[in-house]
Amino acid sequence: MLVEYYCSESLDRVNHPGMTEPLSYKYLFGPVPSRRLGRSLGVDLVPFKTCSTDCVFCQLGSVDHCTTTRREYVPLVDVLGELERWMAVDGRADYVTLSGSGEPTLHTGFGEVLRFVKRRSDMRSVLLTNSTLLHLPEVRRDAAEADIIKVSLSAWDQVSFEKVNRPHPELNFDRMVDGLRALRAEYCGTLWMETFIVPGLNAHPEEVRKMAAVAAGIQPDRIQLNTAVRPPAEEFVQAVPPEYLQKLAGFFTPPAEVIASFQPGEKAFTLLDETTLSRLIARHPATAEQLAHMTGHSEAAVQNLLAQLGEALSKSERNGEIYYKAAD
Ligand code: SF4
C-alpha cells in the first residue's frame, strides 16, 4: 500500500498550492499540434536525455544517461501540481502525452500521472515508450492506464537492436518482444507501434520483412513508419524517400502508415517567450517555420526570440532547412 499512501500525499499537496505552486511549467510543454492527436500537452518525467537506449536516430542527440534504473527522476508531486495548475488556468488539450526528454517508464510514478489525468480531466492520455521495460509486470500494469500506448520496434533481433537502438547492456531483444506480447494480451486500450527506418541498418526489404514478422506477433492496432526528417543523433543517419517508405508499408499487417513528414496542425498555444520556446525546442528540434506553426506566432516573432536565445541553441541543417535544438 506504499503506492496508495504516496499518491494520497501527492494529491493532498497538490490541493494546497501554496506548498508546491510552481513558478512556471518545468515538466509540461505545448500543447503541440499533432496530426493524429490534435492538441497534445506533453509531460516530461525524466531529465534531458535520460533513456534506456541511445538510438542512432534520436532527435534529442546522443543520450547522456543510458540507464534501466527506475526511480522518481523528477518530483511526482510537482508534476501533478503543474498539471493541476495547467488544467485550472491554461485551458485544455485533446491529449496528455507522456514523452519528451527520454523514456517516461523509467519514472516510477508515470502510472500515477496517467491515473491523475483520468480522474481530473476528460482529456485522453498517451504513453510513448521505447518498449524496453515492458517485460516488467509493474510497468505494463501502469502503462495500461493510458488510453493509447505507442511502442517502438525498429529491429528484429539482438544484433539489429544493438545497431539501431544501442540499448543499455542489460537489455535483451527477445525479452522486450515477450513484454510487448504480454502487453497486447493484457491491455484493452489502443496499441500503436512506430518503426523507424534507417538506411544501411534496417531499411532493406528483407530486414523490413523480419521486423514486420515480429510486429505481426504483437498485433498492434496501428503501425507507423518514420524516418530521419529531423536532425538525428548520428550524422550518417539519412532519411528514406517517402515513396520507398510507402512501398515498405505494405509489408506490415495491418499495412503501416507513413508519418515521416512534418505536418503543421492547428495553432496550439498563444504564450510565447524565451523559456517556452527553449523548452519546446529541447524536446522538439524544429525549423523557425515549424515553430511558428506550432506556437501560432509569426515566423518573424519566432526568429526574434531565437536570436535572443543565442548560445542556448545549436543549429543543424537537414534537407536544406535549418533546425534549432538545445545546445549541449
Ligand atoms: S529516440 Fe526515444 S527511445 Fe531512442 S534514445 Fe531518443 S528518447 Fe530514447
Side-chain angles (χ1 to χ4, degrees):
M1 298 316 295
L2 181 63
V3 171
E4 287 294 334
Y5 168 76
Y6 184 82
C7 297
S8 303
E9 182 190 45
S10 301
L11 292 176
D12 188 47
R13 293 181 67 188
V14 167
N15 285 330
H16 295 83
M19 295 178 68
T20 59
E21 186 73 34
L23 295 174
S24 63
Y25 297 124
K26 192 171 173 188
Y27 308 110
L28 309 186
F29 59 99
V32 293
S34 157
R35 195 160 33 137
R36 297 271 169 237
L37 302 176
R39 288 158 47 89
S40 173
L41 176 71
V43 181
D44 203 350
L45 293 176
V46 292
F48 192 56
K49 294 195 282 190
T50 302
C51 196
S52 50
T53 59
D54 185 16
C55 305
V56 294
F57 53 78
C58 183
Q59 68 178 32
L60 301 176
S62 198
V63 163
D64 286 345
H65 311 290
C66 193
T67 179
T68 54
T69 302
R70 300 192 66 226
R71 63 181 175 85
E72 188 179 353
Y73 281 92
V74 299
L76 178 61
V77 68
D78 291 349
V79 175
L80 299 183
E82 287 199 3
L83 271 169
E84 180 87 349
R85 193 180 75 157
W86 187 87
M87 288 172 191
V89 175
D90 280 347
R92 49 171 291 106
D94 300 301
Y95 284 87
V96 173
T97 303
L98 306 195
S99 65
S101 299
E103 173 53 35
T105 63
L106 284 169
H107 195 295
T108 44
F110 83 94
E112 181 52 27
V113 176
L114 294 169
R115 283 185 280 276
F116 183 83
V117 171
K118 195 179 282 182
R119 276 198 306 271
R120 297 298 191 92
S121 77
D122 59 1
M123 290 182 287
R124 304 188 79 213
S125 58
V126 185
L127 170 67
L128 306 187
T129 174
N130 65 13
S131 318
T132 56
L133 300 178
L134 292 171
H135 60 282
L136 299 171
E138 63 272 28
V139 171
R140 295 198 301 275
R141 183 199 62 213
D142 281 348
E145 298 287 345
D147 294 298
I148 298 173
I149 305 174
K150 183 168 169 178
V151 299
S152 298
L153 182 82
S154 301
W156 61 92
D157 61 11
Q158 183 70 21
V159 172
S160 56
F161 186 40
E162 288 177 7
K163 285 183 180 166
V164 177
N165 301 103
R166 301 188 298 196
H168 186 278
E170 286 175 6
L171 293 174
N172 174 271
F173 180 79
D174 290 338
R175 195 175 54 170
M176 179 178 80
V177 173
D178 286 345
L180 282 161
R181 289 202 192 106
L183 177 74
R184 174 72 291 183
E186 297 162 7
Y187 177 55
C188 301
T190 304
L191 184 64
W192 293 359
M193 175 180 286
E194 179 171 320
T195 295
F196 208 100
I197 302 293
V198 183
L201 294 184
N202 67 358
H204 189 279
E206 283 315 305
E207 296 164 340
V208 178
R209 284 189 199 283
K210 289 181 197 169
M211 288 192 288
V214 178
I218 297 163
Q219 298 185 307
D221 299 301
R222 177 178 266 178
I223 301 171
Q224 300 173 330
L225 295 189
N226 207 347
T227 194
V229 289
R230 295 181 186 189
E234 301 298 341
E235 280 293 322
F236 73 83
V237 175
Q238 297 296 316
V240 176
E243 317 79 59
Y244 188 67
L245 278 186
Q246 286 293 356
K247 186 177 150 199
L248 299 180
F251 293 6
F252 291 84
T253 308
E257 306 158 65
V258 173
I259 60 162
S261 63
F262 178 83
Q263 296 282 337
E266 66 171 293
K267 292 175 179 174
F269 60 96
T270 53
L271 173 68
L272 187 65
D273 57 18
E274 287 174 47
T275 307
T276 310
L277 194 65
S278 62
R279 289 193 175 141
L280 186 59
I281 290 168
R283 281 107 172 183
H284 286 274
T287 67
E289 184 187 1
Q290 291 167 356
L291 289 165
H293 278 294
M294 291 162 84
T295 61
H297 289 258
S298 69
E299 196 173 330
V302 169
Q303 289 282 16
N304 187 34
L305 275 177
L306 289 171
Q308 291 176 39
L309 285 169
E311 292 181 357
L313 298 179
S314 70
K315 298 183 206 173
S316 56
E317 189 181 332
R318 191 79 178 162
N319 304 322
E321 296 189 288
I322 301 296
Y323 281 77
Y324 295 87
K325 55 193 283 192
D328 286 334

